[in-house]
């Protein structure tokens, strides 16, 4: 009988202890299991990584894709001064000292059957055999000699592959005036294209605009090489568009 009484006493004590523990967890929330922290308190996600470049041995485009993936990114546009075309100096300045405006140098380089004015600089007529942006054959005529129906000097325009605004956001705002002038007139960054297509592109980067022609692969290659050479940053969307397109070019080559 004593043994039975002792067991009952132990059992009763155990039940009381369990009841006390449950009451403590209910009365004191701090003793409960930790809850999942709210989203704001969780660690921030790592920046999105660019698409992986394909094997560099497969194609020159793959090598350029690796360059594009390594381009620095624009961090915070809110800290960058507003863009102004004037900060890049006068349009089509003769930076190579040949006596001709850079626009005319581009037209003379990219057009065929070129006719120059008496100053040996101004391009009066010429033909853009294959417009990079539309694939069309365009007959260029300067405003001085344009036939009725021809768009004149605006029919073929000098186009910056990396727009001056994109360059500004990518770091040109920190450059000297001379560096910006050189970039704005760098013949490696300017090509002759259809005027309407140029206006439709405006300041768009590769994420928002790419040629629909076979020039597409050349375009993203040049964009990447110019950004690399000049140390320009790009936004993540443009970087990813460059890498993805270059990978596609490498596979389809």
């Amino acid at each position: 009988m004593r043994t039975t009484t002792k067991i009952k006493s132990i059992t009763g004590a155990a039940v009381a202890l369990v009841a006390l523990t449950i009451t403590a967890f209910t009365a004191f929330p701090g003793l409960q299991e930790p809850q999942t922290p709210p989203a704001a308190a969780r660690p921030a996600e790592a920046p999105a990584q660019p698409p992986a470049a394909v094997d560099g041995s497969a194609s020159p485009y793959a090598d350029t894709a690796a360059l594009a993936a390594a381009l620095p990114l624009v961090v915070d546009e809110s800290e960058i001064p507003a863009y102004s075309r004037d900060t890049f100096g006068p349009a089509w300045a003769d930076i190579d000292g040949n006596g001709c405006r850079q626009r005319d140098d581009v037209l003379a380089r990219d057009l065929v059957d070129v006719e120059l004015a008496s100053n040996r600089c101004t391009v009066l007529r010429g033909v853009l055999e294959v417009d990079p942006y539309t694939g069309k054959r365009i007959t260029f005529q300067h405003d001085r000699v344009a036939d009725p129906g021809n768009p004149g000097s605006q029919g073929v325009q000098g186009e910056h592959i990396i727009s001056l605004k994109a360059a500004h956001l990518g770091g040109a705002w920190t450059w000297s005036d001379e560096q910006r002038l050189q970039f704005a007139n760098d013949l490696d960054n300017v090509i002759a294209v259809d005027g309407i297509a140029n206006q439709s592109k405006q300041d768009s980067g590769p994420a928002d605009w790419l040629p629909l022609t076979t020039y597409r692969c050349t375009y993203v290659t040049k964009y990447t090489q110019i950004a690399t050479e000049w140390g320009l940053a790009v936004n993540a969307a443009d970087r990813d568009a460059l890498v993805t397109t270059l990978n596609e070019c490498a596979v389809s080559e």
Side-chain angles (χ1 to χ4, degrees):
M1 294 298 291
R2 289 180 180 175
T3 302
T4 303
T5 303
K6 184 176 183 180
I7 292 174
K8 288 182 178 180
S9 299
I10 294 173
T11 302
V15 171
L17 178 60
V18 170
L20 178 61
T21 301
I22 293 174
T23 302
F25 269 87
T26 303
F28 302 99
L31 297 178
Q32 299 179 35
E33 293 184 3
Q35 301 297 310
T36 302
R42 297 171 192 165
E45 294 183 1
Q49 296 300 308
V54 299
D55 180 9
S57 63
S59 163
Y61 291 123
D63 293 334
T64 311
L67 281 180
L71 288 172
L73 297 182
V74 176
V75 180
D76 187 356
E77 291 187 17
S78 66
E79 297 182 359
I80 300 175
Y83 164 72
S84 171
R85 172 63 182 83
D86 292 342
T87 63
F88 285 84
W92 308 124
D94 177 21
I95 64 170
D96 55 13
N98 68 350
C100 301
R101 295 192 312 155
Q102 296 299 87
R103 168 182 161 81
D104 285 314
D105 287 341
V106 170
L107 293 176
R109 180 195 66 191
D110 294 351
L111 273 56
V112 299
D113 300 330
V114 172
E115 177 187 336
L116 298 178
S118 58
N119 63 5
R120 308 307 299 167
C121 283
T122 304
V123 176
L124 294 179
R125 295 182 177 86
V127 176
L128 186 59
E129 284 285 11
V130 181
D131 169 45
Y133 289 175
T134 66
K136 298 187 303 183
R137 184 179 187 273
I138 302 175
T139 298
F140 171 78
Q141 295 177 341
H142 193 281
D143 286 342
R144 298 184 199 173
V145 297
D147 296 329
N150 186 286
S153 298
Q154 295 303 306
V156 175
Q157 299 177 7
E159 143 75 350
H160 291 94
I161 293 175
I162 298 182
S163 72
L164 301 187
K165 182 176 182 178
H168 171 83
L169 294 173
W173 65 277
T174 67
W175 295 351
S176 68
D177 291 342
E178 180 61 25
Q179 284 177 298
R180 285 190 288 269
L181 179 68
Q182 292 292 323
F183 181 84
N185 296 282
D186 181 3
L187 295 185
D188 289 336
N189 188 40
V190 182
I191 55 176
V193 301
D194 173 70
I196 294 176
N198 184 36
Q199 294 301 316
S200 70
K201 176 200 170 187
Q202 296 186 339
D203 296 323
S204 299
D208 299 315
W209 189 95
L210 285 173
L212 299 178
T213 63
T214 55
Y215 190 77
R216 184 186 191 93
C217 292
T218 300
Y219 180 88
V220 290
T221 296
K222 285 181 172 289
Y223 200 107
T224 300
Q225 292 173 340
I226 294 165
T228 300
E229 178 183 352
W230 286 85
L232 290 170
V234 296
N235 63 46
D238 285 340
R239 176 202 61 186
D240 293 353
L242 289 170
V243 175
T244 299
T245 307
L246 286 162
N247 282 339
E248 292 171 352
C249 293
V251 171
S252 63
E253 190 178 32

